[in-house]
Amino acid sequence: MLCRLRFLLFIFVAAIFGSPAVFGQDSNAPLAGYGVEANIFAGKVFKHTTKFELPIPKLSSGLDLNFTQKTSGTKDWHQRRHFPVIGIGITYTNYGIDSIYGRCFSIYPNITFPIIAGKKLLWTFRIGDGVGYVTHLYGRHPIADTINNAIGSHLNDYASFNMDLRWRINPHWDIQGGWNFTHISDASFHQPNLGINLYGAHIGIHFYPVTSTPKTVKKDLKPLKNRWLIEGRAGLAFTQSEADYGPSYPVYMGSLLVSRRWRSKNKMFIGADYAYFTGIYAFLRNNLIDVGTEKQNSYKSAIFFGNEYLFGRLGLVLQVGIYMKQSYLAQDPYYEKLGANYYILQREKGPLKELFLCGFLKTHKSVAELAEFGMGMGF
């Protein structure tokens, strides 16, 4: 374990001090605000459900590289969001028991928000989501491993959350340390799929070849109208039966909601969800359960509320729902959705004001149920 941490530390130092020479401190230069940060992290996997029966490694560790750009105000949302940092992260994770957990290689877009920003000291929060490739998974053939009930496929959703305290040494160098949490799962596209949750701490350095303070464009932005919209979403997901290597079934989903924009950069909303699970219907039919009422016991309905954080054409959505009706295979009385809307159409006037693509990860606490993809519109 100590050798692994030493190796990661060596890679970390090489990545930083092997960077190209400093180019200067011109805030108008083309690369002003661009940088790369490297963090080494260590933490623990935790059991987020009683079904998680894997042995817990003594220590998990890894290396995170993030290629960043500080926004400069060329878009209105840059200024409304206090000039956050956007990035593309690449992460290597060694969970600690390679024969069971394998290792994860991930790539994910992310955004870092300043919570409190002083001249030298910054408190920031980073959120990101992307794709992770896991080297080892549950299997029966050609290599049998029926212990690993956490990972059912090589490709997984990879979500990352970081909170940092950063010290700005000069316009080229920051040092940071903080807390991090990551989650991987394939959202029940393949079973078994309990996922892996990892929490821990990290330290790192952020290097800006030109400067960390590019010239910003500040405008006299007029507040956007706090308008109300009626919105609809239609989505599709696939879930696999509880039997390992079982068939996959579509889930048909629809949502109707009312939203209100506030502070020109958020939308609060409330609405109702509907989801029909063809896999539950097949289960009831195959086992002669609730004969004659299989369809009525194969759907879920719920009321929900949440907030959407707007970043130009992209909106990050946090949603919490409470079931009004559960299917035959009942779960927790509430659920969460984390996802995004990408707006194809945005306008202030006209009958159709918004048209967007959407994608959500639906969970019950820290256990993923499904990944939903679809389209929506607002009037």
Side-chain angles (χ1 to χ4, degrees):
M1 192 69 63
L2 182 60
C3 292
R4 188 205 315 164
L5 288 176
R6 286 175 176 172
F7 174 74
L8 290 173
L9 182 61
F10 170 77
I11 296 296
F12 170 73
V13 173
I16 293 302
F17 292 100
S19 301
V22 173
F23 299 143
Q25 299 182 20
D26 184 3
S27 61
N28 291 308
L31 294 179
Y34 285 83
V36 57
E37 66 176 323
N39 294 285
I40 54 173
F41 61 87
K44 292 281 290 184
V45 173
F46 68 92
K47 293 187 178 183
H48 52 284
T49 172
T50 56
K51 295 180 180 180
F52 193 98
E53 299 175 349
L54 301 184
I56 300 299
K58 292 182 179 179
L59 183 69
S60 302
S61 58
L63 174 67
D64 179 82
L65 294 176
N66 191 27
F67 300 90
T68 65
Q69 178 192 4
K70 183 174 175 58
T71 56
S72 58
T74 54
K75 305 287 187 182
D76 290 353
W77 70 266
H78 296 174
Q79 185 173 332
R80 297 189 195 277
R81 290 290 175 191
H82 306 291
F83 305 100
V85 175
I86 56 177
I88 296 291
I90 301 174
T91 302
Y92 161 78
T93 305
N94 186 330
Y95 288 104
I97 306 179
D98 196 44
S99 60
I100 297 177
Y101 287 83
R103 307 186 184 199
C104 181
F105 300 86
S106 55
I107 181 169
Y108 61 101
N110 58 81
I111 186 167
T112 302
F113 304 99
I115 300 175
I116 298 176
K119 290 184 178 180
K120 290 290 186 179
L121 186 65
L122 297 90
W123 179 21
T124 64
F125 176 72
R126 187 176 92 184
I127 181 172
D129 191 80
V131 178
Y133 179 86
V134 181
T135 59
H136 193 77
L137 68 157
Y138 178 97
R140 295 185 183 275
H141 178 80
I143 300 175
D145 179 8
T146 57
I147 297 176
N148 185 1
N149 63 347
I151 297 299
S153 60
H154 283 299
L155 289 179
N156 292 267
D157 177 78
Y158 178 87
S160 175
F161 304 87
N162 292 263
M163 187 169 287
D164 285 327
L165 282 177
R166 298 171 179 263
W167 180 259
R168 182 141 293 161
I169 300 173
N170 57 44
H172 301 291
W173 296 95
D174 293 353
I175 58 174
Q176 69 261 354
W179 166 90
N180 55 271
F181 171 84
T182 61
H183 168 83
I184 61 169
S185 75
D186 68 11
S188 295
F189 192 77
H190 287 290
Q191 294 288 351
N193 177 60
L194 295 179
I196 301 176
N197 291 330
L198 172 66
Y199 70 92
H202 61 269
I203 57 172
I205 300 178
H206 202 151
F207 173 65
Y208 296 89
V210 179
T211 179
S212 60
T213 55
K215 183 178 180 180
T216 57
V217 178
K218 293 187 177 181
K219 310 172 186 176
D220 184 16
L221 297 178
K222 295 182 179 180
L224 298 177
K225 183 180 179 182
N226 293 334
R227 69 182 185 187
W228 293 84
L229 291 182
I230 297 175
E231 301 184 41
R233 298 194 304 241
L236 179 67
F238 286 89
T239 58
Q240 196 174 58
S241 65
E242 291 297 324
D244 303 328
Y245 293 109
S248 294
Y249 295 95
V251 181
Y252 302 101
M253 315 182 75
S255 302
L256 185 65
L257 57 146
V258 176
S259 68
R260 182 180 185 271
R261 189 166 56 194
W262 59 287
R263 295 189 63 186
S264 302
K265 58 183 180 181
N266 298 281
K267 285 199 305 183
M268 64 177 72
F269 55 82
I270 186 170
D273 263 344
Y274 171 86
Y276 178 70
F277 291 75
T278 60
I280 296 177
Y281 175 77
F283 170 80
L284 296 177
R285 293 274 293 178
N286 292 337
N287 291 278
L288 299 176
I289 300 173
D290 291 340
V291 176
T293 59
E294 297 93 344
K295 288 187 177 180
Q296 294 91 316
N297 290 301
S298 299
Y299 77 89
K300 302 177 183 180
S301 61
I303 58 172
F304 63 82
F305 62 92
N307 193 74
E308 181 178 358
Y309 302 86
L310 300 172
F311 305 89
R313 289 190 176 274
L314 182 68
L316 299 182
V317 180
L318 297 177
Q319 176 180 319
V320 176
I322 302 171
Y323 287 113
M324 302 298 291
K325 180 190 178 301
Q326 292 241 37
S327 68
Y328 177 84
L329 302 178
Q331 294 176 286
D332 293 334
Y334 61 91
Y335 64 90
E336 307 81 34
K337 281 187 180 181
L338 172 65
N341 295 329
Y342 178 77
Y343 288 90
I344 302 171
L345 174 68
Q346 285 178 312
R347 58 188 182 187
E348 296 298 310
K349 297 181 180 180
L352 179 62
K353 295 180 175 63
E354 294 180 346
L355 181 66
F356 55 89
L357 303 175
C358 55
F360 302 100
L361 179 66
K362 183 185 177 186
T363 67
H364 293 88
K365 299 181 185 139
S366 55
V367 179
E369 181 186 9
L370 53 82
E372 171 192 356
F373 297 95
M375 178 174 285
M377 56 187 64
F379 302 91

